[in-house]
C-alpha cells in the first residue's frame, strides 16, 4: 500500500495535462498557478467560487464529470486568524470538511491520476516538539482557538490516506509552515503574524505614531516560507512523492518574533519606537497596541482562499 496508482506517470512529463487548482485566487493557489504557467502548463482548470461552489457536492461532481482533470491540487479552504476561528467555529469545521470531501471523492470517482491536499501546521498539538516532525500528528491536544480548522485539515490528511490504502489511489498531503507573499490577507483582525505586523507598522507610520507596543519578550520562534517557495515544493511533490505520510513543507529556518518585528519596522520605515511589554505573556499569539487599541494576531499558517 502507499504506492503509485495504475495510471501513474510524471507530473512534469505532459504540460498539456488538465490540472485543476482549487482555490486559485488565494495566497497559495495563485502562487501555484504562477509556477505552473511559468513551467509551460497550458491546460489549467480554474474556477472562482461564483463559478463553482466546492461545498455543493452535486456541482463538484458535475464539474469533474465534464472537465475530467488528470491532476488536482487542493488549495481551497475557509481560513482566518484566531478571531475568525473563535467567532465562527461551525463554519470552519463544516465548510472545510465539505470542500475536502467533495473534491477528494469526486477526484477519485472521475479518474484523477494524482491529488495533492494542502493543509497547515496548525494540525499539530499545541505543545508539539520543535521543530515539529510529521509523527507529532495526533500526539496531544490541539490549540483550542483553531481546533475546528485543524480537525478539518486532519480529516483531509486521513481521507487521502484512507483512499490510498483502500483503492491504491495516489492522494498525498503537504503541510506548509507560516506563509507570506503576494495576495496575502491584511485584514485588521483576521490576518496572520507577518502581514499583521506589516499593516500595523505601515498604518502607524502614516499616522505618525511615536511607538508600537507588542506584548511579551519577542522570544517565541516562528518559521516562515515564501509562497513561491511553497509552489516549488508543490511541483516537486506532484512529480516525485507518492507516500502514505503527509509531509511538512517549510524553510527549515526560524526567527524570533522580535527579529521579525524589527525587520518589518526597518523595511516599512517606521521611525517610532518598538516597545516590548515584558509584563505581558509570550505565547502562540501576540498583541499589538496602536492608538490605544490592542489587536491580536495569529500565527496560524496558510491562506488558501
Amino acid at each position: 500500500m502507499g504506492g503509485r496508482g495504475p495510471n501513474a506517470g510524471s507530473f512534469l512529463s505532459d504540460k498539456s495535462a488538465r490540472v485543476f487548482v482549487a482555490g486559485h485566487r488565494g495566497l497559495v493557489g495563485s502562487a501555484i498557478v504562477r509556477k505552473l504557467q511559468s513551467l509551460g502548463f497550458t491546460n489549467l482548470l480554474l474556477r472562482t467560487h461564483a463559478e463553482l461552489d466546492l461545498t455543493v457536492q452535486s456541482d463538484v461532481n458535475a464539474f469533474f464529470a465534464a472537465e475530467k482533470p488528470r491532476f488536482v491540487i487542493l488549495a481551497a479552504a475557509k481560513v482566518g486568524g484566531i478571531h475568525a476561528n473563535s467567532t465562527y467555529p461551525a463554519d470552519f469545521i463544516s465548510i472545510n470538511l465539505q470542500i475536502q470531501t467533495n473534491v477528494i471523492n469526486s477526484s477519485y470517482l472521475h479518474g484523477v491520476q494524482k491529488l495533492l491536499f494542502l493543509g497547515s501546521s496548525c494540525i499539530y498539538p499545541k505543545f508539539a516538539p520543535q521543530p515539529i516532525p510529521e509523527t507529532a500528528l495526533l500526539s496531544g491536544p490541539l490549540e483550542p482557538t483553531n481546533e475546528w480548522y485543524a480537525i478539518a485539515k486532519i480529516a483531509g490528511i486521513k481521507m487521502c490516506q484512507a483512499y490510498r490504502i483502500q483503492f491504491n489511489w495516489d492522494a498525498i498531503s503537504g503541510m506548509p509552515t507560516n506563509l507570506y507573499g503576494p495576495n496575502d490577507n491584511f485584514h485588521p483582525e483576521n490576518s496572520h503574524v507577518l502581514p499583521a505586523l506589516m499593516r500595523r507598522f505601515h498604518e502607524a507610520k502614516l499616522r505618525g505614531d511615536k511607538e508600537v507596543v507588542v506584548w511579551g519578550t519577542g522570544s517565541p520562534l516562528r518559521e516562515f516560507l515564501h509562497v513561491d517557495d511553497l509552489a516549488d515544493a508543490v511541483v516537486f511533490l506532484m512529480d516525485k512523492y507518492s507516500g502514505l505520510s503527509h509531509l511538512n513543507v517549510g524553510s527549515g529556518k526560524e526567527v524570533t518574533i522580535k527579529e521579525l518585528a524589527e525587520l518589518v519596522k526597518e523595511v516599512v520605515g517606521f521611525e517610532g519606537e518598538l516597545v516590548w511589554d515584558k509584563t505581558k505573556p509570550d505565547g502562540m499569539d501576540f498583541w499589538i497596541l496602536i492608538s490605544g487599541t490592542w489587536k491580536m494576531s495569529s500565527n496560524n499558517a496558510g491562506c488558501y482562499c
Side-chain angles (χ1 to χ4, degrees):
M1 296 300 177
R4 289 181 181 267
N7 299 316
S10 171
F11 176 67
L12 291 173
S13 64
D14 182 6
K15 303 294 178 59
S16 65
R18 298 171 75 80
V19 182
F20 176 40
V21 182
H24 74 282
R25 296 200 299 183
L27 172 66
V28 172
S30 61
I32 294 170
V33 169
R34 290 194 301 272
K35 181 62 178 180
L36 295 179
Q37 289 174 336
S38 73
L39 291 173
F41 280 83
T42 58
N43 213 346
L44 300 182
L45 300 175
L46 309 175
R47 296 292 186 275
T48 65
H49 177 77
E51 293 169 330
L52 176 61
D53 186 343
L54 297 177
T55 67
V56 180
Q57 185 179 39
S58 58
D59 290 356
V60 175
N61 192 59
F63 166 79
F64 275 87
E67 300 295 341
K68 297 200 177 297
R70 182 176 170 190
F71 299 104
V72 172
I73 300 171
L74 179 46
K78 179 175 177 60
V79 300
I82 285 177
H83 175 78
N85 274 267
S86 300
T87 306
Y88 307 107
D91 289 353
F92 274 88
I93 192 166
S94 64
I95 291 174
N96 284 306
L97 285 173
Q98 290 169 43
I99 291 172
Q100 298 161 193
T101 301
N102 292 340
V103 173
I104 294 172
N105 190 60
S106 289
S107 294
Y108 170 71
L109 292 177
H110 292 283
V112 167
Q113 177 179 315
K114 186 170 189 174
L115 175 142
L116 169 60
F117 170 71
L118 289 170
S120 164
S121 58
C122 73
I123 63 169
Y124 291 111
K126 181 175 182 177
F127 301 109
Q130 300 290 335
I132 304 175
E134 287 85 354
T135 53
L137 184 65
L138 298 177
S139 64
L142 298 167
E143 164 58 43
T145 55
N146 61 20
E147 65 178 329
W148 322 106
Y149 177 77
I151 287 172
K153 288 298 178 180
I154 292 170
I157 294 172
K158 292 302 178 181
M159 190 171 182
C160 289
Q161 292 177 343
Y163 276 63
R164 177 176 288 274
I165 291 169
Q166 185 170 339
F167 303 118
N168 195 33
W169 182 50
D170 202 2
I172 62 174
S173 301
M175 300 298 119
T177 187
N178 298 281
L179 300 170
Y180 68 97
N183 295 319
D184 211 336
N185 174 20
F186 290 87
H187 189 279
E189 293 181 345
N190 298 335
S191 59
H192 301 106
V193 172
L194 187 50
L197 283 170
M198 292 171 65
R199 176 169 182 151
R200 304 300 193 256
F201 279 111
H202 175 68
E203 292 181 345
K205 177 184 177 181
L206 293 180
R207 287 192 301 265
D209 292 347
K210 294 182 179 180
E211 64 180 29
V212 170
V213 182
V214 183
W215 274 17
T217 64
S219 61
L221 291 167
R222 297 288 182 266
E223 180 179 351
F224 294 91
L225 182 71
H226 193 280
V227 73
D228 287 345
D229 293 327
L230 172 62
D232 289 341
V234 164
V235 171
F236 177 83
L237 292 174
M238 288 294 293
D239 193 57
K240 300 295 185 182
Y241 181 69
S242 291
L244 180 65
S245 175
H246 66 284
L247 290 184
N248 292 335
V249 183
S251 62
K253 299 178 181 179
E254 293 181 319
V255 297
T256 65
I257 293 296
K258 184 175 187 294
E259 291 170 333
L260 182 67
E262 290 173 344
L263 177 61
V264 173
K265 175 180 181 293
E266 178 183 353
V267 171
V268 170
F270 175 66
E271 296 182 355
E273 186 178 0
L274 172 58
V275 179
W276 296 92
D277 185 352
K278 297 180 182 180
T279 66
K280 301 298 191 294
D282 284 319
M284 291 189 68
D285 319 301
F286 66 92
W287 293 71
I288 303 173
L289 177 63
I290 297 179
S291 297
T293 302
W294 287 102
K295 296 290 187 179
M296 180 168 62
S297 177
S298 163
N299 75 316
N300 298 347
C303 290
Y304 314 137
C305 306

